[in-house]
Amino acid sequence: MKIAALALTRGGQVVAKKIKKSFPAGEVDLYFSKKLEGQFPGTSPGEGACYFQESLQAVVKEIFSQYRALIFVMATGIVVRVLGPLLRDKTRDPAVLVLDEGGNYIISLLSGHLGGANELALQVAEKIGAEPVITTATDVRKKPALEMVARKYNMEVEPSQRIKEVNWALVNNIKIKFFKERGLALPPGFPFQVEEMEEERRAGVSSKGKGDYGGNPVVIITSRLHSPEELSDFYPGENFLFLRPRDLVLGVGCKRGISGEELLSFIEKSFQEEGFSLKSLRRIVSVELKREEKGLMEVAQRLGKELAFYSPGELREKMSLVSFSPFVEETTGTGAVCEPAALLGAGREELLWKKKRFKGMTTAAARLLSGWWE
């Protein structure tokens, strides 16, 4: 998604244009007040900007979800009043930056971490020679914010509501325990000390039934589903937060004309039955024949996941490792789809789960051993 830069005054217009020129062509859209159109040199309609006649609030309401970031070159008070009714939560709101019309200071106002506003503020500041203003406590204290770590290393946070508890503890130097699923490789340079989950000996629990972290938040890096009830025997308390590595590849087969709703429901059921989080899904893979299957494309779009396809010849390379179906071979040109596709997509020889069937749909999964953080 692109960036929108908005201005109401001539000075703001100049700064917004400067920002646009500093980015690759087509990455920044300009929105200016209609009052500026043709009033100053270089403000002709052909310059690629949108000149709006309606109120700023109406324009922002219309474009709020269409851009990954909004850059306002105007007073902060104006921006706060305009954005108030539109805000949802930190996992969905776009990054919002505010600059003075002299281009002297750039404030990361909203979605500093998950939305990338802090990072973008630093980037824009360097491009146009402005002074970045970052106010998030973890950045001020030079601490790694959990959601920034997740973003950098291709993980999802669950539940997102507990991010602030963990970051509060990090800022205040309160001890937090980090655990990871046994055998899971971590990215080089991971900023936290992480222990491996050893459920057999109830890791971190003393003879009194409490760990040495005093009930502080516990962060667990895993693709597997664990309920608080299951984990409370090993890590007392309820302050669990999961980092979900995007390390699972899902192979999918389906009959022609399957609806996206049916397919998504089956995929969700497959993950639930096998005990894995759908947030750890990296990509969906299938046979080339399904490239135009609307239901499959709809599912990938709704989940926001990559979609890749393999030719029958490529899938046959893994046929010795999977179950063979004469019917599937007759209809697709290869004796299996979901299982070999999952293996190819993950670069593996072993499935995480074998083929599951339901009403003309199949799923199978494999796991990326390393490189999932890239």
Side-chain angles (χ1 to χ4, degrees), residues 22-90:
S22 71
F23 281 86
E27 191 166 339
V28 178
D29 290 340
L30 299 175
Y31 290 83
F32 299 143
S33 168
K34 185 74 172 178
K35 296 176 182 179
L36 297 174
E37 187 174 17
Q39 296 298 312
F40 304 97
T43 61
S44 64
E47 69 179 345
C50 172
Y51 288 88
F52 56 89
Q53 193 159 6
E54 60 267 54
S55 68
L56 176 65
Q57 189 161 20
V59 172
V60 175
K61 182 178 181 180
E62 181 181 345
I63 69 172
F64 188 70
S65 299
Q66 298 176 16
Y67 292 91
R68 69 179 178 92
L70 303 178
I71 302 177
F72 294 86
V73 191
M74 60 191 71
T76 305
I78 296 174
V79 179
V80 170
R81 289 184 176 88
V82 166
L83 290 180
L86 304 176
L87 302 183
R88 296 166 295 180
D89 64 70
K90 67 193 302 179

Side-chain angles (χ1 to χ4, degrees), residues 65-135:
S65 299
Q66 298 176 16
Y67 292 91
R68 69 179 178 92
L70 303 178
I71 302 177
F72 294 86
V73 191
M74 60 191 71
T76 305
I78 296 174
V79 179
V80 170
R81 289 184 176 88
V82 166
L83 290 180
L86 304 176
L87 302 183
R88 296 166 295 180
D89 64 70
K90 67 193 302 179
T91 64
R92 294 186 292 169
D93 293 332
V96 175
L97 309 182
V98 180
L99 289 91
D100 62 281
E101 68 168 44
N104 300 304
Y105 299 97
I106 179 166
I107 304 169
S108 172
L109 185 67
L110 186 69
S111 294
H113 290 150
L114 281 178
N118 290 357
E119 185 179 345
L120 183 59
L122 295 172
Q123 185 181 0
V124 174
E126 184 177 358
K127 287 176 179 292
I128 69 170
E131 183 72 26
V133 180
I134 310 293
T135 60

Side-chain angles (χ1 to χ4, degrees), residues 184-219:
L184 178 69
L186 289 180
F190 195 72
F192 301 111
Q193 183 177 349
V194 182
E195 299 178 28
E196 194 162 83
M197 292 179 71
E198 297 185 47
E199 297 181 354
E200 292 80 5
R201 69 176 181 85
R202 300 193 172 193
V205 181
S206 70
S207 59
K208 294 183 179 181
K210 292 184 178 181
D212 60 359
Y213 47 90
N216 297 328
V218 175
V219 179

Side-chain angles (χ1 to χ4, degrees), residues 125-146:
E126 184 177 358
K127 287 176 179 292
I128 69 170
E131 183 72 26
V133 180
I134 310 293
T135 60
T136 42
T138 49
D139 295 271
V140 173
R141 298 285 185 180
K142 307 298 182 185
K143 302 283 187 178
L146 192 72

Side-chain angles (χ1 to χ4, degrees), residues 167-302:
N167 283 342
W168 183 88
L170 290 170
V171 167
N172 289 282
N173 296 316
I174 293 173
K175 187 174 183 179
I176 297 175
K177 281 282 190 178
F178 282 80
F179 294 96
K180 72 179 182 71
E181 181 181 332
R182 177 175 290 184
L184 178 69
L186 289 180
F190 195 72
F192 301 111
Q193 183 177 349
V194 182
E195 299 178 28
E196 194 162 83
M197 292 179 71
E198 297 185 47
E199 297 181 354
E200 292 80 5
R201 69 176 181 85
R202 300 193 172 193
V205 181
S206 70
S207 59
K208 294 183 179 181
K210 292 184 178 181
D212 60 359
Y213 47 90
N216 297 328
V218 175
V219 179
I220 301 176
I221 307 170
T222 179
S223 305
R224 296 184 180 275
L225 294 174
H226 296 280
S227 70
E229 291 75 23
E230 291 174 321
L231 291 168
S232 62
D233 287 339
F234 308 105
Y235 316 109
E238 298 181 353
N239 293 330
F240 297 105
L241 186 144
F242 299 95
L243 289 179
R244 303 295 190 189
R246 296 190 184 102
D247 62 348
L248 304 186
V249 177
L250 184 71
V252 173
C254 62
K255 64 183 179 182
R256 183 183 301 174
I258 196 75
S259 73
E261 186 176 347
E262 287 179 282
L263 186 55
L264 179 58
S265 177
F266 177 51
I267 289 173
E268 290 174 338
K269 183 180 179 182
S270 297
F271 272 80
Q272 190 69 36
E273 288 178 347
E274 295 297 329
F276 289 92
S277 171
L278 192 56
K279 290 184 179 295
S280 284
L281 177 59
R282 174 67 170 265
R283 67 175 66 97
I284 299 172
V285 290
S286 190
V287 65
E288 182 67 36
L289 183 66
K290 294 297 175 181
R291 182 176 289 276
E292 302 300 325
E293 192 68 53
K294 290 183 179 180
L296 188 57
M297 291 189 290
E298 181 184 329
V299 168
Q301 184 176 16
R302 286 178 63 178

